[in-house]
């Protein structure tokens, strides 16, 4: 899961970077809102962190992710853990006197109230029923099906990309088509709501350019998670490709700063949930 060894080279991809004003997702409970400020327009489409990362990775016209992207599967599972953390459903065990590292601390279910999102609730159910509890890195592997332990294969969340794409279809962002690839037919999900995609791209670009705050503690935690997990999923390049050379270089430099930050130190600075710091550590260790 190491994504800190180097950022991808810039590809000559043209994307529509227009859009309207920035927005943040609305959480489903008042405790969830403690993690972020909601200053968005109520008429705008609300997307989960998983849906945003997938949308960045999907080719607009083709409606599928790159066949060469082997990072997005685990990246989306990391998004699921962060969503559960931001919504107040899970937390890390206390560091204790020995000051356990982020990657050695177990994930504890603190609130098993359903979120209303099928993927989140399925993952939450697995965590609630697991004793003894597991750490963040183990859960990313289990939910991805990347484990040699046959007893853990039941934790795998199947067809995640397709299920997220169907959510985006229901929200009017994507549509569904069938494409023939010589030997097989594949369901694809081309973009239909250009405004939603453009708004997402603009939000990502502005976060590391005009709205850069140079302090992860002051960044909106959902937006910070989007940047780190989009990088871990190898889809961030799609948002930066339309930038001019100077802005592109600056954006990548700032992403590198986020990827290389001292996560153990940052997790001790704030009072908010530590789950996302542990997820970050799983992809940057």
């Amino acid at each position: 899961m190491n994504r800190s060894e180097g950022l991808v080279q810039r590809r000559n991809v043209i994307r529509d970077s227009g859009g309207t004003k920035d927005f943040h997702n609305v959480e489903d409970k008042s405790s969830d809102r403690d993690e972020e400020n909601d200053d968005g327009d109520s008429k705008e489409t609300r997307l989960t962190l998983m849906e945003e990362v997938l949308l960045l990775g999907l080719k607009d016209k083709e409606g599928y992710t790159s066949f060469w992207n082997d990072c997005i599967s685990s990246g989306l599972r990391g998004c699921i853990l962060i969503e559960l953390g931001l919504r107040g459903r899970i937390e890390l065990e206390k560091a204790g006197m020995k000051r356990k590292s982020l990657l050695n601390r177990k994930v504890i279910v603190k609130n098993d109230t359903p979120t209303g999102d099928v993927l989140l609730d399925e993952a939450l159910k697995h965590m609630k029923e697991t004793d003894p509890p597991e750490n963040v890195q183990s859960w990313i592997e289990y939910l991805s099906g990347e484990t040699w332990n046959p007893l853990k294969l039941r934790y795998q969340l199947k067809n995640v990309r397709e299920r997220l794409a169907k959510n985006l279809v229901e929200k009017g962002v994507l549509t569904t088509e069938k494409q023939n690839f010589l030997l097989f037919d594949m369901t694809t999900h081309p973009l239909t709501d250009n405004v939603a995609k453009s708004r997402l791209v603009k939000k990502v670009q502005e976060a590391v350019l005009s709205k850069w705050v140079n302090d992860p503690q002051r960044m909106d935690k959902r937006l910070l998670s989007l940047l780190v997990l989009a990088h871990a999923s190898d889809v961030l390049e799609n948002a930066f490709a339309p930038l001019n050379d100077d802005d592109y270089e600056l954006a990548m430099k700032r992403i590198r700063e986020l990827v290389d930050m001292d996560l153990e130190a940052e997790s001790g600075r704030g009072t908010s949930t530590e789950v996302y710091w542990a997820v970050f550590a799983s992809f940057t260790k």
Side-chain angles (χ1 to χ4, degrees):
M1 297 183 189
N2 191 347
R3 301 290 303 142
S4 63
E5 294 180 354
L7 295 171
V8 294
Q9 294 295 316
R10 184 174 190 181
R11 297 187 289 269
N12 293 322
V13 180
I14 303 300
R15 293 286 187 271
D16 178 10
S17 59
T20 55
K21 66 178 182 178
D22 190 12
F23 76 108
H24 299 292
N25 293 346
V26 173
E27 300 298 345
D28 57 343
K29 300 290 182 181
S30 59
S31 61
D32 305 331
R33 298 192 190 98
D34 293 341
E35 292 296 338
E36 61 177 338
N37 293 321
D38 174 29
D39 58 359
D41 186 332
S42 61
K43 295 182 180 179
E44 292 175 357
T45 305
R46 307 301 180 185
L47 304 181
T48 64
L49 187 59
M50 304 88 74
E51 292 166 352
E52 289 183 319
V53 168
L54 179 64
L55 187 55
L56 287 176
L58 286 173
K59 300 179 181 181
D60 294 355
K61 293 182 180 180
E62 294 86 346
Y64 52 83
T65 58
S66 170
F67 293 130
W68 308 109
N69 188 337
D70 58 357
C71 302
I72 194 170
S73 177
S74 57
L76 290 174
R77 272 64 174 189
C79 290
I80 288 172
L81 294 181
I82 289 178
E83 275 283 357
L84 288 171
L86 292 175
R87 297 183 185 215
R89 299 312 194 273
I90 61 175
E91 63 183 356
L92 294 187
E93 66 175 340
K94 302 302 181 184
M97 296 295 292
K98 295 183 179 180
R99 300 301 302 170
K100 288 184 180 179
S101 68
L102 290 168
L103 292 180
N104 286 328
R105 293 162 66 184
K106 308 300 184 182
V107 176
I108 307 298
V109 175
K110 60 186 261 187
N111 180 356
D112 62 0
T113 304
T115 65
D117 182 288
V118 176
L119 280 173
L120 294 180
D121 291 342
E122 188 176 334
L124 185 63
K125 182 174 182 290
H126 289 324
M127 294 175 191
K128 179 184 176 182
E129 296 174 350
T130 300
D131 187 28
E134 302 279 1
N135 60 35
V136 161
Q137 188 168 1
S138 293
W139 274 118
I140 292 175
E141 293 172 355
Y142 296 159
L143 297 176
S144 303
E146 298 176 357
T147 174
W148 293 103
N149 187 339
L151 299 178
K152 304 296 184 180
L153 288 175
R154 64 189 181 90
Y155 293 138
Q156 181 181 6
L157 299 179
K158 298 181 179 180
N159 304 317
V160 168
R161 268 175 274 189
E162 179 64 19
R163 292 161 74 180
L164 291 173
K166 288 182 178 179
N167 288 348
L168 290 169
V169 170
E170 293 177 359
K171 293 179 179 181
V173 179
L174 306 177
T175 188
T176 302
E177 295 180 357
K178 287 281 187 181
Q179 285 197 29
N180 180 269
F181 288 86
L182 297 180
L183 299 178
F184 61 94
D185 290 332
M186 186 174 79
T187 300
T188 62
H189 299 283
L191 181 70
T192 57
D193 188 347
N194 291 299
V195 173
K197 178 68 174 281
S198 297
R199 185 186 300 124
L200 174 60
V201 169
K202 182 180 180 182
K203 178 173 69 170
V204 169
Q205 292 175 352
E206 289 181 341
V208 292
L209 293 172
S210 61
K211 296 184 179 180
W212 176 249
V213 297
N214 199 32
D215 181 359
Q217 294 293 335
R218 293 171 51 218
M219 292 183 71
D220 172 81
K221 295 307 180 287
R222 181 175 293 278
L223 185 54
L224 173 62
S225 299
L226 174 60
L227 294 174
V228 176
L229 269 295
H231 171 256
S233 302
D234 198 16
V235 301
L236 197 55
E237 167 74 8
N238 298 340
F240 290 166
L243 297 172
N244 63 51
D245 289 345
D246 289 342
D247 284 346
Y248 179 90
E249 183 177 352
L250 180 59
M252 296 302 271
K253 174 180 178 292
R254 287 171 172 171
I255 288 296
R256 190 175 296 109
E257 291 175 7
L258 293 179
V259 171
D260 292 340
M261 62 182 163
D262 186 338
L263 296 169
E264 295 289 347
E266 292 296 339
S267 68
R269 285 179 60 199
T271 58
S272 52
T273 178
E274 296 172 298
V275 170
Y276 51 81
W277 299 115
V279 173
F280 297 169
S282 296
F283 291 101
T284 59
K285 66 181 181 62

